[in-house]
Amino acid sequence: MESAWNSFHDNGTPGFHFTQDGYFGRGTYAGGADKASHFVDSHIAARAMTTFYGLIGMSPSASRLLGRGVATLASIVTEIGDGTTKFGFSWEDALGAGAALGLGASGWDDTIGFRLG
């Protein structure tokens, strides 16, 4: 959410626009590392929020739903913020977040782990 706030208050940026940056293609910004970071960040946020909701007494299924929902909302708001910068709103970034959430929904998130470094 903070990245969107910064984007909205950045001077000299173009109006809101969409972009198609090509996932991991040759000409993609940072070689597509941005996609990987959206994937990992969304996964970590969903897991953290799921744990939080469980700790305050919500059922496991409600915790997972709310945790994933909050992570999805944060990803979309971040992309809306990016839409006001030179980078633009990227569906590829939003799909990276969705893929991370799908990993959790499939049950594979206990098998495949991510960490920031």
Side-chain angles (χ1 to χ4, degrees):
M1 302 279 189
E2 180 66 26
S3 64
W5 178 263
N6 288 335
S7 297
F8 294 143
H9 292 88
D10 189 12
N11 293 327
T13 58
F16 184 85
H17 65 285
F18 291 90
T19 189
Q20 191 170 22
D21 51 11
Y23 295 99
F24 298 98
R26 183 175 298 248
T28 303
Y29 168 73
D34 185 42
K35 310 301 166 264
S37 70
H38 282 276
F39 183 93
V40 172
D41 291 346
S42 295
H43 181 75
I44 291 171
R47 291 288 301 249
M49 293 308 297
T50 298
T51 299
F52 168 76
Y53 288 123
L55 289 173
I56 63 170
M58 300 191 98
S59 71
S61 60
S63 296
R64 281 190 300 274
L65 180 65
L66 286 168
R68 290 184 194 123
V70 168
T72 300
L73 179 62
S75 296
I76 291 170
V77 169
T78 297
E79 281 310 303
I80 291 170
D82 282 354
T84 65
T85 70
K86 65 180 180 178
F87 298 107
F89 185 105
S90 168
W91 283 110
E92 290 94 337
D93 288 346
L95 290 174
L101 300 175
L103 180 68
S106 69
W108 279 87
D109 60 341
D110 286 334
T111 305
I112 301 171
F114 302 98
R115 64 182 85 154
L116 297 174

